[in-house]
Amino acid sequence: MTITPTPFDAAVALVQDGRLVEAEAIMVRELDAVTARHGAGTPAWASAQCDLGNVLLNADQLGRAVDCYRAAVSVSPRDHPDLHKDHLTYRSNLGLALRLAGRLDEAEAELRAGLAAREAFYGREHAGYAFGLEPLAELLLSRGDVAGARPVAEEMVTNLWDNGHERVAVALALRAEIARAGDPRAEAFTDADRLPGPVLEQLANAVRRRIADGEPRVYQGLVRDLVRLLEAQLGPDHPATLGALSSLANLGRDTGDQAGRVEAIQRVQAAYDRLGRPEDALMAAMGLALAHGEAGDTEAGLRAYASAHERAVRLGRPEPVSQVLRNWGLALQEADRPHEAEPCLRDAVRIATTGADYELLGRGRIALGLFLQHQNRLPEARTVIEEGLAVLDPVHPDAMIGRSHLGAVLEGRTCGCGDMRATLADAFREFVLSKLPPDLLADLRVRVADGDFKIDVELNREPAPQELDHLNRVVSAAYAEFRRRLVA
């Protein structure tokens, strides 16, 4: 049986591939089609608005996502009784988008209204009510109202536990963060040892997903407790345990606990060796080399790279060998050992040309080109950097670094880079132009001023309405994409 993906399925796949403009275009067309078929203000229209909002949310276009969710919420279940459950979802999504946009007062008002609607529809003991408690607890935590968040989280956990709902794992992760935010010594995972293995794995995944939005030092203690729990319940080599150890290593980097970071990576590498997973063990070995270097133990880092190179060679494929050599060469350059660094960097490029990973080849060329620049071999550096740029996506971080350094090379400078803001503006411009009809714009000027991108558009002809809409979507996507890089 052939299953045709829905427009939303196709859009989600594009979002996962980083093709946000195309994903949004699919959902805009779908919304237009639904509006033409069913009319605005109908349940189908509300559903399409929500789907578009989901895509915009994933593209960091929060203001537009809020508008879509608000449109979906405007379709009242009083007029469409079958819409009740979906309407509750739309309200939750609206509250989430408002919270992420920093509009916390509006978010709290929407979430409390949504919770009241859930109580009226489901009753307080139903799991559907707990789904409204979760985003409210999140919102209160983000406001720093730990005292207000704690009873909401406790009620959520109790509800889902009593209902035997597997989402209790997510609730336990949120409750643990709230508990630790109020008291660093609080018990984090009360009753978690009673969870069956699959739900315990979900708890581990939920904790790891929350790390990006939490305070690293709060989560460092949480993840240490999580590792002990997982080792006791699932064993030291279980994927959930290894994932938690990897998160602990990352938190060690974020908090400056380099010794804890090194220890966590060593435990991961040993587990992969026991499991007979050489490629994963290689990635851990490279992480260990980087950790030693960032801890200031240069010699230990270089020894780890030598060990990683031996592991990569045993795999028998060019890509991992090239990757290790590139990183090893950069470490040698950082250690002021250029005569050892250059052979590594050149071999990384040479070996990458025998593989099929053009991104790896481009990154290797950029690394070699920057090395040559710093050695005052500017003509050679220019050639190698240009060759690297030729195979990298223009918005790849290494491509932007390469373009910036190429500007310095063309100016005859051996160190430093060009104006990174100008480089980002050029990349912004290329991103937009690559996604528009070639005859639409006569000129597009992009600059950075007052901490943001400023654009001036000169049209070559009168655009059709759909072309103008597409232009606006592309520019919005470019803002969302490049503002993150500008801040970084």
Side-chain angles (χ1 to χ4, degrees):
M1 181 176 66
T2 301
I3 299 177
T4 303
T6 66
F8 183 69
D9 293 334
V12 168
L14 289 168
V15 168
Q16 292 171 344
D17 198 34
R19 296 163 61 185
L20 303 179
V21 175
E22 293 95 326
E24 182 184 341
I26 285 178
M27 294 316 303
V28 168
R29 288 197 299 270
E30 176 64 9
L31 175 59
D32 290 343
V34 168
T35 304
R37 190 161 56 246
H38 298 281
T42 60
W45 180 83
S47 177
Q49 288 281 7
C50 181
D51 287 345
L52 175 56
N54 291 338
V55 169
L56 292 169
L57 190 73
N58 281 284
D60 278 344
Q61 297 191 50
L62 300 177
R64 294 180 62 207
V66 165
D67 292 340
C68 287
Y69 293 138
R70 207 179 285 285
V73 169
S74 71
V75 182
S76 173
R78 289 191 299 271
D79 302 322
H80 306 279
D82 292 341
L83 190 62
H84 270 287
K85 288 185 179 180
D86 289 338
H87 189 264
L88 295 171
T89 300
Y90 303 155
R91 289 203 94 119
S92 294
N93 290 353
L94 175 57
L96 169 64
L98 287 166
R99 177 174 68 83
L100 294 176
R103 296 159 60 177
L104 301 185
D105 288 341
E106 293 176 78
E108 184 169 350
E110 289 292 343
L111 292 174
R112 290 193 181 280
L115 185 61
R118 284 177 180 274
E119 183 176 9
F121 183 74
Y122 289 112
R124 205 174 182 103
E125 308 304 318
H126 193 281
Y129 178 74
F131 292 164
L133 291 168
E134 180 184 334
L136 179 59
E138 289 267 16
L139 182 280
L140 294 171
L141 177 62
S142 68
R143 302 199 79 155
D145 184 4
V146 176
R150 186 64 187 262
V152 177
E154 292 289 356
E155 183 177 6
M156 171 181 57
V157 170
T158 299
N159 178 305
L160 293 171
W161 197 291
D162 289 347
N163 281 290
H165 199 289
E166 63 180 14
R167 196 164 178 83
V168 71
V170 175
L172 286 167
L174 176 55
R175 186 184 69 173
E177 183 177 350
I178 292 170
R180 281 291 171 85
D183 179 1
R185 295 165 298 180
E187 174 64 37
F189 299 109
T190 305
D191 297 329
D193 56 351
R194 295 164 48 197
L195 294 173
V199 180
L200 194 57
E201 292 179 53
Q202 292 174 27
L203 169 62
N205 291 334
V207 171
R208 294 179 66 199
R209 284 194 300 270
R210 295 192 58 79
I211 288 173
D213 298 325
E215 164 57 41
R217 292 192 184 280
V218 170
Y219 262 98
Q220 190 174 33
L222 274 179
V223 176
R224 284 198 193 102
D225 289 353
L226 178 65
V227 168
R228 287 192 287 270
L229 173 67
L230 295 173
E231 284 182 328
Q233 299 294 318
L234 302 177
D237 296 344
H238 192 279
T241 307
L242 298 179
L245 281 168
S246 297
S247 295
L248 188 60
N250 293 335
L251 289 165
R253 176 198 61 212
D254 295 340
T255 60
D257 179 12
Q258 299 295 352
R261 177 187 181 190
V262 166
E263 179 191 3
I265 297 173
Q266 287 172 330
R267 291 167 68 182
V268 170
Q269 180 179 310
Y272 283 138
D273 283 335
R274 289 193 298 269
L275 292 167
R277 294 168 58 177
E279 293 198 15
D280 292 321
L282 170 61
M283 292 298 104
M286 291 177 64
L288 182 61
L290 181 62
H292 279 308
E294 292 183 356
D297 193 343
T298 300
E299 292 304 317
L302 295 176
R303 288 195 300 272
Y305 275 121
S307 173
H309 181 249
E310 293 174 1
R311 289 174 178 270
V313 169
R314 288 198 294 270
L315 291 177
R317 295 188 293 106
E319 291 83 5
V321 176
S322 175
Q323 185 177 3
V324 172
L325 286 169
R326 173 186 174 275
N327 291 5
W328 193 3
L330 291 173
L332 287 164
Q333 181 183 2
E334 181 70 20
D336 198 23
R337 292 159 66 168
H339 295 297
E340 298 172 74
E342 184 170 354
C344 278
L345 293 171
R346 288 195 178 279
D347 283 347
V349 172
R350 176 182 58 79
I351 292 171
T353 60
T354 68
D357 190 334
Y358 290 103
E359 179 182 334
L360 186 64
L361 174 60
R363 298 187 70 197
R365 285 173 173 168
I366 296 297
L368 176 59
L370 269 56
F371 169 84
L372 294 169
Q373 176 194 7
H374 296 150
Q375 297 301 306
N376 198 22
R377 293 152 66 179
L378 300 185
E380 190 177 2
R382 174 182 178 177
T383 298
V384 175
I385 293 173
E386 288 176 342
E387 289 175 344
L389 293 175
V391 296
L392 281 176
D393 188 310
V395 300
H396 191 286
D398 281 27
M400 285 187 276
I401 291 171
R403 274 199 299 273
S404 181
H405 281 75
L406 181 60
V409 169
L410 295 174
E411 294 171 3
R413 292 192 281 121
T414 61
C415 62
C417 62
D419 184 350
M420 182 56 77
R421 298 196 310 170
T423 300
L424 286 169
D426 288 343
F428 185 113
R429 182 177 183 276
E430 289 184 34
F431 178 89
V432 172
L433 291 176
S434 70
K435 300 181 184 304
L436 296 176
D439 66 334
L440 181 59
L441 300 186
D443 194 13
L444 173 64
R445 294 177 295 280
V446 183
R447 58 191 174 88
V448 177
D450 300 324
D452 203 354
F453 292 98
K454 310 294 183 184
I455 69 169
D456 296 299
V457 177
E458 184 178 337
L459 295 171
N460 192 48
R461 57 177 173 78
E462 186 68 25
Q466 62 269 27
E467 287 181 318
L468 187 58
D469 288 343
H470 181 62
L471 171 61
N472 290 331
R473 290 195 299 271
V474 169
V475 170
S476 295
Y479 272 116
E481 175 70 26
F482 288 96
R483 275 174 175 152
R484 292 194 295 264
R485 303 179 192 275
L486 190 61
V487 172

